[in-house]
Amino acid sequence: MSLLARMAWRNLWRNPQRSLLSLAAIAFGVTLLVFSVGLQIGGYEQMIGNTVRLLTGLAQVQRPGYLDAPRLRLDIPAARDLRARLEAGLRELAPGVVVAPRAQSFVLLSSERRSLGALLVGVDPRAEARLSSLPGTVHRGRYLRTGEEVVLGAALARNLGLAPGDEVTVLGSARDGSVVATVLTVVGVFESGARELDRSLAQMPLATFQDLFAMPDRVHALVLGEAPLDALPELVRRTRALLPPDPPLAVLTWEHIEPGVKQAIEMDFASGWLMYLILVLVITFSILNTFLMAVLERRREFGVLLALGFRHGRLLRLVLWEAALLTALGVLLGMALGAALVAYFAVHGITFEGMEVYAEQFNLPPYLTPKLTPFVLFSGPAVVLAVTLLAALYPASRVRAVDPAETTREVG
Amino acid sequence: MDALVTLRAVTKTYRQGEVDVPALRGVDLDIAAGEFVCLSGPSGSGKTTLLNLIGGLDTPSGGHIQVAGRDLARLSPGERAELRLRHIGFVFQAYNLIPVLSAQENVELVMELQGVGAAERHARARAILAEVGLAGLEGRRPAALSGGQQQRVAVARAIVSAPDLVLADEPTANLDSENGRRLLEIMRRLNGERGVTFVISTHDPEVMAFARRLIRLHDGRIQADERRDGPP
């Protein structure tokens, strides 16, 4: 180690109390940053996971334009073969991948008491049980098996005055223009926590739906799920490669299907960074004060060094070295502590008061789990390091104002 | 003999608020290589100002200064720093040493700036510290050395690179008489044996008695310039 580096290191410890306080401020700030960003990213993943798990899936294969104008005839033919091809083709990327077929139509549901419009979705109950959290939210009765049965959202069932065991009449239009009129048995009532779904969604077995609506082997969506979130771009790419050229089909990710979730995340992310910026600035000002005092206290010493043949530039580098050492130490310490906190709570989770009730309602785990990623570990600390070093330029630049003659006159 | 230091009509005026305070009022001076010169005079007579000007730490208000053949007025601040690094050693009254470096490291610091290799630096620093009577104390930090020992380290640091000129500003002011005398003896020996030129400002009659040339300053002017045969 050169003498200058040794000087920089030892200068840090000339006032150990002050240096330790600064070190603690940086370490505390960085710990908070790493943990908060980890919690934020973990929360987003949970939020996305919940959205994806509830109904949307990671991505869906649909006819182009179906999302915006869901017409019955915009369907996917030969759905069974395509589903099998997708499952086989995507299994290498995600061994547990699920391709769930869905067909849907707006219908009129009638009970003895009243009639209400609803979205009736034909689903493969076994695939849904693996892909969607909705079957798990059935709190009265059971989920679908086969045949002429239906599950209703809790508000829908309440408004219709129906309970498991009751019958509901379905009125709608089939794909061929004929009238759909049938009676289904309510086997279960779900409460997903998503108000819109609970008020207007009904599910029935796909095979029965296809018979009723004259859609043999046709569906409106093949929903892809049970693959890692970070594999989504590759999942989409491979899915596209597996699709037949005719009719044209689109692969929509959850971001397309649920833009509101993405926007909410982006807004939260932006407001989070504003808070982090304030935190970084508070750390920076405390460090700035430390460095400024350290420089002002050593004017005489700098005068002597200039008299010995130091140039101002070398003095500036010396002070910047000290700032870099102190900041790097604090940042490393903060990263270690932050990573340890994130790792601990990633396993044990964080529970807030009242969260259990909320989580149960939404079929979610009753805790938040932060996540440790390279972004979580390095983004905040990198900003602290960069901003602190930039800030250190100001006190360091004060050495340029040191006049050796003046300081040595003070000495002599 | 060519002059190592030449001052011609050098003036220096400081501005204190609205008032101009003249520190030097036209100094002409030649100092030859190998001289042992004392600048004496009361406080405010211009001793420290003169040393600072010769060392390139300050610039004159008027006149010309040459050191080791270089006209200081023509040098940039960086070039003046280089001149100090290669040709001039400084010893101040106090706060001389870098507190976070050991005696040995303080002496090595200038050599490191000069680009001297670590092994040579180490050997030369040990040798010079031994020469000023500090063998065995190389690893001590300034706070663990007495005032006299600190000044000897400062002298060792000033001469370790064999500069042409050492400027010492009241080097014995904070020392007791025994330590002061010891420091002066070291400087005289280095002057005699190595030919290092010393210019020392002082109030101390004992230091003046050591000088071969005694320049008395008064109100920024040279009042007397006496040459002597040798110290008592």
Side-chain angles (χ1 to χ4, degrees):
Chain A
M1 200 199 294
S2 76
L3 269 180
L4 278 180
R6 257 181 279 175
M7 272 175 78
W9 173 251
R10 292 177 193 168
N11 277 331
L12 283 187
W13 306 109
R14 288 168 82 154
N15 190 333
Q17 201 173 9
R18 189 167 63 199
S19 290
L20 283 172
L21 277 173
S22 299
L23 198 66
I26 299 172
F28 175 75
V30 170
T31 303
L32 206 60
L33 269 180
V34 169
F35 183 69
S36 304
V37 175
L39 198 61
Q40 206 175 8
I41 298 295
Y44 295 155
E45 290 212 354
Q46 242 172 307
M47 195 168 159
I48 294 167
N50 295 337
T51 303
V52 164
R53 285 280 301 164
L54 184 59
L55 207 61
T56 312
L58 276 172
Q60 293 187 13
V61 177
Q62 294 180 358
R63 292 285 296 275
Y66 181 79
L67 184 69
D68 297 325
R71 286 182 288 130
L72 205 60
R73 283 175 170 274
L74 269 180
D75 57 11
I76 303 167
R80 202 173 298 118
D81 284 352
L82 181 55
R83 179 189 179 192
R85 193 195 309 171
L86 289 177
E87 280 181 335
L90 297 173
R91 204 161 284 144
E92 188 195 339
L93 176 67
V97 71
V98 176
V99 180
R102 286 183 197 155
Q104 61 190 46
S105 178
F106 286 98
V107 296
L108 194 68
L109 297 182
S110 300
S111 63
E112 287 180 2
R113 192 199 295 180
R114 62 197 296 195
S115 296
L116 289 170
L119 179 67
L120 181 63
V121 184
V123 297
D124 173 349
R126 285 200 296 184
E128 292 296 325
R130 288 175 58 202
L131 177 135
S132 166
S133 59
L134 193 117
T137 67
V138 173
H139 66 292
R140 288 160 62 202
R142 62 166 173 80
Y143 192 60
L144 302 169
R145 286 178 190 151
T146 183
E148 298 186 340
E149 52 189 40
V150 69
V151 290
L152 303 175
L156 184 60
R158 190 169 53 249
N159 292 339
L160 287 168
L162 295 173
D166 294 339
E167 289 186 334
V168 61
T169 303
V170 178
L171 281 175
S173 294
R175 187 179 189 276
D176 57 6
S178 60
V179 174
V180 173
T182 192
V183 175
L184 301 174
T185 304
V186 178
V187 295
V189 174
F190 62 82
E191 187 159 13
S192 69
R195 196 180 298 170
E196 190 58 33
L197 292 184
D198 292 342
R199 199 173 53 204
S200 61
L201 184 69
Q203 286 189 344
M204 66 180 290
L206 179 66
T208 314
F209 184 98
Q210 285 170 327
D211 285 346
L212 283 173
F213 287 84
M215 292 181 60
D217 201 19
R218 288 174 178 274
V219 297
H220 292 116
L222 289 168
V223 184
L224 310 177
E226 289 304 286
L229 191 61
D230 53 13
L232 182 59
E234 182 60 14
L235 186 82
V236 170
R237 196 187 65 76
R238 290 195 188 194
T239 303
R240 282 200 180 115
L242 290 165
L243 296 179
D246 191 50
L249 293 171
V251 183
L252 306 177
T253 63
W254 67 269
E255 294 158 305
H256 288 104
I257 300 165
E258 297 282 357
V261 174
K262 194 183 175 208
Q263 283 163 8
I265 288 174
E266 284 171 351
M267 276 182 63
D268 186 76
F269 197 66
S271 64
W273 275 105
L274 188 67
M275 195 193 80
Y276 300 146
L277 185 67
I278 293 168
L279 180 65
V280 169
L281 286 179
V282 170
I283 299 171
T284 304
F285 280 118
S286 74
I287 302 310
L288 193 65
N289 181 48
T290 301
F291 291 142
L292 199 56
M293 288 192 34
V295 167
L296 294 178
E297 280 172 4
R298 285 156 59 196
R299 284 181 63 252
R300 286 177 172 176
E301 185 180 315
F302 291 149
V304 169
L305 287 171
L306 289 168
L308 292 180
F310 265 66
R311 295 178 185 217
H312 280 98
R314 196 184 287 267
L315 277 185
L316 191 137
R317 285 202 298 279
L318 177 67
V319 175
L320 282 180
W321 254 107
E322 293 171 19
L325 277 172
L326 187 69
T327 310
L329 262 181
V331 164
L332 284 176
L333 190 63
M335 283 171 75
L337 287 172
L341 268 180
V342 170
Y344 177 82
F345 285 109
V347 174
H348 296 90
I350 301 170
T351 306
F352 300 105
E353 198 176 337
M355 190 175 174
E356 283 179 14
V357 177
Y358 172 84
E360 193 181 349
Q361 186 186 356
F362 285 84
N363 191 34
L364 302 176
Y367 47 80
L368 274 177
T369 48
K371 188 167 184 191
L372 194 61
T373 65
F375 177 79
V376 167
L377 190 58
F378 295 111
S379 60
V383 172
V384 170
L385 196 62
V387 174
T388 312
L389 285 182
L390 269 178
L393 279 174
Y394 171 64
S397 70
R398 296 292 295 260
V399 301
R400 290 203 176 277
V402 173
D403 175 1
E406 190 184 321
T407 50
T408 51
R409 268 200 308 276
E410 287 170 14
V411 169
Chain B
M1 192 187 291
D2 285 344
L4 176 64
V5 178
T6 304
L7 288 86
R8 290 289 175 267
V10 170
T11 61
K12 179 69 186 178
T13 303
Y14 293 108
R15 186 96 181 149
Q16 287 183 346
E18 298 295 306
V19 184
D20 284 338
V21 180
L24 291 178
R25 303 167 190 252
V27 172
D28 293 300
L29 179 65
D30 291 295
I31 297 171
E35 282 199 274
F36 195 98
V37 181
C38 262
L39 303 174
S40 72
S43 291
S45 60
K47 304 186 295 295
T48 298
T49 300
L50 193 55
L51 286 183
N52 285 342
L53 291 175
I54 294 170
L57 297 179
D58 209 349
T59 50
S61 307
H64 293 278
I65 303 170
Q66 273 200 354
V67 176
R70 316 282 300 275
D71 183 349
L72 297 191
R74 293 178 185 274
L75 301 182
S76 66
E79 287 169 329
R80 288 205 297 272
E82 192 65 20
L83 180 79
R84 288 194 293 274
L85 184 62
R86 305 278 169 193
H87 298 280
I88 302 172
F90 274 95
V91 180
F92 300 107
Q93 178 182 332
Y95 305 108
N96 245 319
L97 303 178
I98 306 306
V100 294
L101 297 182
S102 67
Q104 167 112 9
E105 289 167 336
N106 262 288
V107 176
E108 285 187 32
L109 183 61
V110 172
M111 288 188 282
E112 174 158 317
L113 294 181
Q114 290 173 334
V116 178
E120 186 185 343
R121 239 167 41 210
H122 198 65
R124 278 167 61 181
R126 287 183 80 83
I128 200 78
L129 283 170
E131 205 173 329
V132 297
L134 293 173
L137 302 179
E138 297 90 346
R140 288 202 188 171
R141 297 243 183 127
L145 296 170
S146 70
Q149 288 168 332
Q150 287 185 36
Q151 286 302 65
R152 279 187 272 157
V153 175
V155 170
R157 183 182 62 190
I159 61 163
V160 70
S161 300
D164 301 312
L165 175 66
V166 171
L167 302 172
D169 192 3
E170 311 231 20
T172 60
N174 289 341
L175 303 182
D176 58 38
S177 58
E178 188 186 331
N179 273 309
R181 172 173 283 273
R182 194 166 178 192
L183 187 75
L184 286 167
E185 280 166 357
I186 289 166
M187 292 199 282
R188 279 301 306 269
R189 182 161 46 80
L190 293 167
N191 171 250
E193 292 173 4
R194 294 172 170 241
V196 179
T197 308
F198 279 86
V199 179
I200 304 169
S201 80
T202 188
H203 284 104
D204 186 347
E206 201 163 347
V207 180
M208 294 177 214
F210 258 81
R212 288 208 176 105
R213 185 178 174 190
L214 179 63
I215 297 171
R216 291 181 197 277
L217 288 166
H218 188 77
D219 283 345
R221 290 193 179 88
I222 293 178
Q223 193 179 45
D225 186 350
E226 304 165 21
R227 293 173 189 273
R228 298 162 175 177
D229 288 340

